[in-house]
Amino acid sequence: MNDFSADVAVVGLGPAGRSVAHRCAEAGLDVIAVDPHPSRTWTPTYSAWADELPSWLPETAVASTARKPAVWTDHQRIIDRTYCVLDTPALQAALSVDRVRVLAATAVDVTGSRVTTADGSIVDARHVVDARGTLDSRDLAQQTAYGIVVERDRAEPILEGADAWFMDWRTDNGARHGEAPSFLYAVALDDDRILLEETCLVGRPPLELAVLRSRLHHRLTHRNLEPTGKEDVERVRFSVEPPPRSQQHTGRGGPVLFGSRSNLMHPATGYSVAASLASADHVVERFRGGGRLRANRPVHVWTVQKLRNLGLRTALALEPEMVPQFFTSFFSLPVELQRSYLSGHDDAFGTMTAMLKMFPTLPASARLAIARTIARSPGRG
């Protein structure tokens, strides 16, 4: 049992926690990080829109770039926005914690000024950041995916000349009518390898990995790529909702929630890493100025989160055949409005404009489903 003190205590050393710990330490703050497995090597594939990444992130952290990725809804559409896949080991190395005191311990109680660990150690800090991610709970909406890594020469025909498939909703994956939909995500990991992944965007419950594996193999075989069974595999399952408020310290006296534990997780897409990287310096600025990041968030941030949560509920309420139609409307928007909705976590006007522009372009059945979702939504919270 030990007692520690610091300017900043960061709980959780995934990409979000490590980014804020790294940037706080680089700014000269005394930082302690608490994580049960601080040296664990990251293995997931992290991707981002290039314009989301902060200028301080070295170019070596980007493994591949798709200048104009494509989507397929009712037909192929090009997204005029650069998309990139991060080099996971290089990203972890770039977010160095050499200047951070790291405790290999499990936090059991986290408040706005103190972290208590399972072995009884106490870390007192002027600022506490909770970056432990979301809970792996089937009660929360989740995203699931199953992918294989294929040599570029074998996978190139799947891309059909596109830089990448951000979403390919074609129905050649063997799913029966009325079943929850899934799409193909296909991106280059580097010059030699391409990830081909069948993805359930969101579900409560989501599609199981075995179902996604079957659909991926069916889709690829239909497109003349027969998996050998020897390919490297990526399995994805995570909640796209933060833990319930009852399971967090919220309000006055609570820690700063960061990363996927906060509004930086996009509930309709599951993206949070780039937003966390870009927001780390905002946290540093507030800490260096002596001000606390209050639990009462600015109205525009609160509004965006509410709108995004409405988008999540809409996605969960849509009939399976409506989902590709929804994205037909979304990717028909000007890229600036796509960016506002996907990346502007504090852009309430842009997010609202994107949603209002989409609504009249949707089929009547989808508009009715959205209207019902809004009618069932709580007025406050």
Side-chain angles (χ1 to χ4, degrees):
M1 182 186 304
N2 297 283
D3 292 343
F4 304 90
S5 62
D7 295 326
V8 180
V10 177
V11 185
L13 279 178
R18 196 166 171 119
S19 66
V20 77
H22 169 73
R23 296 304 288 173
C24 282
E26 289 290 306
L29 295 170
D30 181 25
V31 183
I32 292 179
V34 180
D35 189 287
H37 305 288
S39 300
R40 178 167 45 195
T41 300
W42 300 343
T43 58
T45 300
Y46 300 118
S47 302
W49 298 102
D51 55 35
E52 295 176 317
L53 298 175
S55 59
W56 54 261
L57 190 70
E59 292 182 3
T60 55
V62 175
S64 70
T65 299
R67 299 295 179 189
K68 293 186 177 183
V71 296
W72 189 294
T73 53
D74 54 346
H75 62 272
Q76 180 175 324
R77 299 168 187 269
I78 300 299
I79 307 173
D80 190 13
R81 189 182 181 197
T82 301
Y83 187 73
C84 57
V85 176
L86 301 179
D87 183 319
T88 301
L91 174 66
Q92 188 168 10
L95 302 177
S96 169
V97 290
D98 291 345
R99 300 183 185 181
V100 175
R101 286 181 285 162
V102 177
L103 300 182
T106 300
V108 293
D109 189 55
V110 181
T111 71
S113 59
R114 173 171 288 187
V115 179
T116 304
T117 68
D119 65 3
S121 295
I122 292 174
V123 179
D124 288 314
R126 291 192 295 120
H127 311 283
V128 175
V129 178
D130 188 347
R132 288 177 290 177
T134 60
L135 296 178
D136 183 15
S137 171
R138 299 301 177 92
D139 295 330
L140 300 173
Q142 292 187 326
Q143 182 174 124
T144 50
Y146 181 94
I148 60 174
V149 179
V150 178
E151 298 86 353
R152 180 178 283 274
D153 60 348
R154 291 179 61 211
E156 281 282 6
I158 301 297
L159 294 178
E160 301 175 56
D163 290 346
W165 285 118
F166 184 67
M167 290 179 171
D168 181 350
W169 289 100
R170 279 176 283 185
T171 57
D172 58 348
N173 60 2
R176 293 190 295 270
H177 180 75
E179 291 185 328
S182 57
F183 63 89
L184 176 67
Y185 172 75
V187 293
L189 299 180
D190 50 38
D191 291 340
D192 303 315
R193 301 174 303 149
I194 291 177
L195 173 66
L196 304 172
E197 196 160 77
E198 193 76 17
T199 302
C200 169
L201 183 65
V202 63
R204 191 191 292 126
L207 289 173
E208 292 297 330
L209 297 182
V211 173
L212 293 170
R213 178 184 182 278
S214 176
R215 289 188 182 184
L216 176 66
H217 284 218
H218 190 284
R219 188 193 296 275
L220 296 181
T221 300
H222 182 266
R223 300 189 191 184
N224 299 316
L225 193 162
E226 188 75 40
T228 65
K230 298 180 180 179
E231 297 90 355
D232 289 340
V233 171
E234 177 169 85
R235 298 174 178 87
V236 176
R237 180 188 292 275
F238 62 89
S239 299
V240 297
E241 297 176 286
R245 293 176 65 86
S246 61
Q247 297 181 31
Q248 303 183 55
H249 281 284
T250 56
R252 190 178 302 276
V256 174
L257 304 180
F258 195 71
S260 60
R261 210 172 185 83
S262 72
N263 65 295
L264 295 178
M265 162 70 83
H266 199 306
T269 66
Y271 280 50
S272 67
V273 171
S276 299
L277 295 170
S279 298
D281 278 357
H282 171 65
V283 176
V284 173
E285 181 181 350
R286 294 295 296 270
F287 287 173
R288 289 187 71 184
R292 294 193 59 80
L293 290 176
R294 296 177 299 172
N296 294 326
R297 293 158 291 169
V299 172
H300 53 280
V301 175
W302 180 89
T303 301
V304 168
Q305 187 169 15
K306 293 301 177 184
L307 291 171
R308 287 179 169 182
N309 287 340
L310 174 60
L312 171 64
R313 292 194 296 274
T314 297
L316 292 169
L318 289 175
E319 294 296 326
E321 65 274 8
M322 295 182 194
V323 176
Q325 298 171 355
F326 180 89
F327 284 102
T328 294
S329 294
F330 179 79
F331 287 111
S332 297
L333 293 172
V335 71
E336 293 79 11
L337 290 180
Q338 295 178 31
R339 181 185 294 111
S340 293
Y341 185 79
L342 294 175
S343 306
H345 76 275
D346 59 354
D347 184 2
F349 178 78
T351 301
M352 175 66 79
T353 301
M355 296 174 78
L356 291 175
K357 290 278 189 182
M358 277 184 63
F359 188 79
T361 69
L362 292 167
S365 55
R367 296 200 302 272
L368 179 60
I370 293 171
R372 288 172 175 166
T373 299
I374 295 173
R376 290 195 296 264
S377 298
R380 300 181 62 181

